[in-house]
């Protein structure tokens, strides 16, 4: 057990957010300290807090804390604080900073360049409908330093808004064809057209994708955009690009086939598993998984077992998991159960099986977990710990009880995760015992787990 503890200490501190600088014994005092940091802290202290929050589950962030961060964004002009907040909220697609972001664009001459870029990026990530007109107005100024970011954000902002996606696509098409943008901007316009999801862009994107004289980087962007739009009329240009001399274009083409139906697309995916360029085989695996193409299972099995490139093996295993049939699960089970197989393949196969059918495979993973511990295979043991921690099944209850009673810090932390995921309220007595632990982070996590399960701390 010492080996597991030593190998995983850093991981535990990362997972539980003990990077906040000061350990405080109670959840209440820790929360108050964080609120005080937001209200009165320096940019360095706030940046440290944001880093801590990033290492925690932001979806469970306290409402008071979130409200204070939003209020801080409205009132501060500190470049580092505001940029950090925009990045933090944007990564989690959390609303609340739209008004401040729009103000940053409007008053960009008085804002730091990095802050304006972060504001633009944030508005795109949260699909802010209100940002479409301001972003178009920004693009109309031709301020080169903001153009790429604004194109990306504009496409994302229009995504999911049926009433504006076509109008936004028409704006982008006009910019591409009539304003003679430089090559770098052209690529971003192509990407943005794909983000809108509008069929208006299919004609131009098809023309670019099938043009053998066009720059590969633009063809690749057009192929990805056609895939995002998913309109059947975009299939022929993608099929034509599969025979491109540039291997990167070929790999982009096969990866773009995922959303398209029909025997032509199926056959093209299967044939692409034979391509000597590894990225094309990766693209084939991704497309097969996205389409849940059962006919690809023999190809995926072969790639998972024998491909010389580890990343191809990874994508083949993920595709088998995405297909999720009895046949694909049997292949994954064989890869996972064979102890001579590499740790990387076994762990990823186990992850797919647990994700698809935790009730069937949890006990098998626990058996291999214990076997790895017995043989002092620390990396494999820690990997199985992570896999089983995501299992949504009551069959982990005995393991959770064992960890709570006699596990190390890492195991107890994972046990709390599993108890919460599976609502194992019967383990309340064991969880309460952790409130007496010396490790303050574990105490906080135990208290939070009890609260979320609706259980008293005593």
């Amino acid at each position: 057990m010492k080996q597991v503890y030593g190998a995983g200490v850093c991981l535990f501190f990362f997972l539980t957010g003990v990077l906040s600088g000061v350990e405080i014994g109670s959840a209440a005092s820790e929360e108050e300290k964080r609120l005080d940091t937001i209200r009165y802290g320096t940019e360095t202290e706030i940046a440290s807090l944001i880093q801590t929050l990033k290492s925690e589950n932001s979806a469970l962030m306290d409402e008071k804390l979130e409200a204070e961060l939003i209020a801080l964004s409205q009132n501060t002009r500190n470049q580092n604080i505001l940029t950090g907040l925009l990045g933090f909220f944007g990564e989690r697609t959390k609303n609340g900073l739209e008004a401040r972001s729009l103000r940053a664009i409007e008053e960009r001459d008085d804002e730091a360049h990095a802050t304006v870029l972060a504001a633009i990026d944030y508005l795109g990530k949260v699909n802010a409908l209100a940002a479409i007109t301001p972003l178009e107005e920004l693009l109309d100024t031709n301020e080169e330093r903001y153009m790429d970011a604004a194109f990306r954000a504009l496409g994302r902002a229009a995504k999911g808004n049926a009433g504006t996606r076509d109008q936004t696509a028409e704006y982008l098409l006009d910019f591409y064809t009539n304003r003679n943008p430089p090559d770098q901007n052209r690529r971003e316009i192509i990407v943005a057209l794909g983000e809108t999801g509008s069929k208006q862009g299919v004609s131009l994107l098809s023309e670019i994708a099938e043009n053998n004289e066009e720059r590969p980087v633009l063809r690749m962007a057009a192929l990805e955009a056609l895939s995002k739009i998913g309109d059947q009329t975009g299939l022929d240009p993608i099929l034509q690009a599969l025979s491109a001399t540039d291997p990167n274009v070929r790999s982009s083409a096969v990866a773009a086939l995922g959303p398209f139906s029909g025997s032509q697309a199926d056959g093209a995916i299967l044939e692409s598993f034979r391509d000597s360029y590894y990225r094309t085989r990766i693209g084939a695996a991704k497309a097969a998984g996205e389409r849940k193409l059962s006919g690809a299972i023999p190809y995926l099995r072969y790639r998972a077992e024998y491909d010389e490139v580890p990343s191809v093996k990874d994508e083949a295993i993920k595709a088998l998991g995405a297909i999720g049939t009895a046949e694909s699960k049997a292949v994954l089970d064989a890869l996972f159960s064979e102890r001579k197989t590499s740790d990387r393949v076994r762990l990823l196969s186990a992850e797919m099986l647990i994700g698809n059918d935790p009730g069937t495979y949890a006990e098998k993973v626990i058996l291999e977990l214990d076997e790895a511990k017995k043989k002092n295979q620390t990396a494999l043991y820690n990997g199985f710990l992570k896999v089983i921690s995501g299992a949504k099944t009551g069959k982990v209850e005995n393991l959770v009880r064992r960890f709570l009673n006699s596990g190390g810090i890492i195991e107890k932390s994972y046990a709390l995760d599993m108890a919460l995921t599976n609502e194992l309220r019967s383990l309340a007595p064991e969880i309460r015992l952790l409130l007496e632990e010396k490790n303050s982070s574990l105490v906080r996590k135990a208290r939070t787990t009890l609260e979320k399960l609706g259980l008293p701390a005593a």
Side-chain angles (χ1 to χ4, degrees):
M1 195 64 249
K2 288 182 179 179
Q3 283 180 297
V4 176
Y5 177 85
V9 164
C10 291
L11 173 61
F12 172 72
F13 285 141
F14 175 77
L15 290 171
T16 54
V18 186
L19 300 175
S20 56
V22 180
E23 295 185 6
I24 298 178
S26 72
S29 60
E30 173 68 12
E31 191 64 31
E32 285 302 319
K33 180 182 183 301
R34 289 180 170 191
L35 290 171
D36 284 345
T37 298
I38 296 169
R39 292 165 182 157
Y40 316 117
T42 66
E43 64 180 56
T44 303
E45 292 163 342
I46 292 172
S48 178
L49 173 60
I50 290 173
Q51 278 301 118
T52 299
L53 293 173
K54 283 182 178 181
S55 72
E56 299 173 351
N57 188 344
S58 65
L60 303 176
M61 189 166 60
D62 182 84
E63 290 183 4
K64 282 185 180 179
L65 197 65
E66 185 173 330
E68 286 290 343
L69 288 171
I70 292 173
L72 175 63
S73 75
Q74 299 298 324
N75 299 320
T76 185
R77 278 199 175 270
N78 184 291
Q79 168 191 342
N80 295 328
I81 292 175
L82 185 54
T83 304
L85 288 172
L86 289 166
F88 175 62
F89 274 68
E91 286 172 14
R92 285 145 188 79
T93 60
K94 276 188 168 292
N95 296 103
L97 304 188
E98 290 90 339
R100 183 64 183 90
S101 296
L102 289 170
R103 180 152 58 93
I105 294 175
E106 183 181 350
E107 301 174 0
R108 57 188 175 276
D109 290 340
D110 299 322
E111 299 276 8
H113 177 61
T115 301
V116 179
L117 288 176
I120 294 170
D121 187 57
Y122 170 80
L123 291 166
K125 286 180 176 177
V126 298
N127 307 126
L129 181 61
I132 291 178
T133 298
L135 287 170
E136 289 180 353
E137 291 174 350
L138 175 61
L139 288 166
D140 289 341
T141 66
N142 288 313
E143 293 182 62
E144 184 58 39
R145 55 183 178 162
Y146 298 127
M147 298 289 277
D148 286 351
F151 281 126
R152 288 193 299 271
L154 180 60
R156 291 172 177 172
K159 184 178 182 179
N161 296 302
T164 59
R165 68 174 66 164
D166 288 348
Q167 184 177 352
T168 301
E170 288 173 2
Y171 173 88
L172 292 166
L173 288 167
D174 176 73
F175 208 112
Y176 190 96
T177 56
N178 297 323
R179 303 199 198 181
N180 195 30
D183 282 347
Q184 176 59 30
N185 291 163
R186 290 172 68 202
R187 182 189 178 281
E188 295 302 332
I189 295 171
I190 291 169
V191 171
L193 281 168
E195 291 287 352
T196 67
S198 171
K199 296 179 182 179
Q200 299 289 336
V202 171
S203 178
L204 174 64
L205 295 171
S206 298
E207 181 183 327
I208 297 168
E210 62 191 5
N211 184 359
N212 290 322
E213 303 301 317
E214 186 59 88
R215 294 173 57 218
V217 66
L218 296 184
R219 296 185 72 188
M220 292 161 63
L223 289 163
E224 184 177 350
L226 286 170
S227 181
K228 286 185 176 181
I229 295 171
D231 185 73
Q232 198 67 21
T233 58
L235 176 58
D236 282 345
I238 294 174
L239 293 174
Q240 289 185 40
L242 288 170
S243 59
T245 56
D246 189 295
N248 292 298
V249 173
R250 294 200 306 274
S251 65
S252 295
V254 68
L257 287 170
F260 296 94
S261 59
S263 58
Q264 276 188 305
D266 291 348
I269 291 170
L270 298 182
E271 186 62 27
S272 295
F273 281 109
R274 302 182 185 278
D275 199 298
S276 60
Y277 185 53
Y278 78 99
R279 289 191 183 278
T280 304
R281 301 196 300 279
I282 287 176
K286 288 182 176 179
E290 186 176 349
R291 294 169 60 80
K292 300 186 184 299
L293 183 59
S294 59
I297 291 175
Y299 294 85
L300 294 167
R301 177 195 59 76
Y302 186 88
R303 288 296 132 209
E305 289 181 348
Y306 302 117
D307 204 284
E308 61 186 13
V309 180
S311 56
V312 176
K313 289 186 175 185
D314 290 351
E315 293 302 333
I317 292 168
K318 290 176 184 177
L320 288 166
I323 292 170
T325 63
E327 183 184 0
S328 68
K329 285 190 282 189
V331 174
L332 291 169
D333 193 357
L335 293 169
F336 156 68
S337 300
E338 176 52 66
R339 291 174 179 171
K340 293 181 181 179
T341 303
S342 70
D343 289 0
R344 178 172 176 155
V345 168
R346 294 190 70 199
L347 289 170
L348 187 53
S349 299
E351 183 182 337
M352 296 301 106
L353 291 169
I354 287 294
N356 275 327
D357 193 354
T360 299
Y361 293 101
E363 292 174 335
K364 292 185 178 183
V365 173
I366 292 171
L367 179 66
E368 295 303 317
L369 173 81
D370 291 338
E371 179 69 15
K373 180 180 179 181
K374 185 188 304 181
K375 292 183 177 179
N376 293 322
Q377 295 172 307
T378 303
L380 185 61
Y381 181 78
N382 286 335
F384 280 134
L385 269 179
K386 183 177 179 182
V387 169
I388 199 63
S389 70
K392 295 183 179 180
T393 171
K395 292 187 177 182
V396 300
E397 182 169 353
N398 288 336
L399 177 69
V400 174
R401 181 177 286 106
R402 189 210 311 171
F403 282 171
L404 292 173
N405 287 329
S406 59
I409 295 177
I410 301 294
E411 291 159 326
K412 288 177 179 177
S413 177
Y414 277 126
L416 291 172
D417 292 334
M418 288 186 275
L420 183 58
T421 297
N422 294 288
E423 300 183 355
L424 301 177
R425 293 181 177 83
S426 61
L427 298 178
E430 286 86 351
I431 296 173
R432 289 190 186 104
L433 287 176
L434 297 187
L435 298 177
E436 302 173 9
E437 286 275 340
K438 293 181 179 179
N439 186 289
S440 60
S441 296
L442 198 58
V443 171
R444 282 198 301 273
K445 190 168 185 177
R447 183 180 290 105
T448 300
T449 301
L450 289 168
E451 290 174 355
K452 288 171 183 172
L453 289 172
L455 298 169

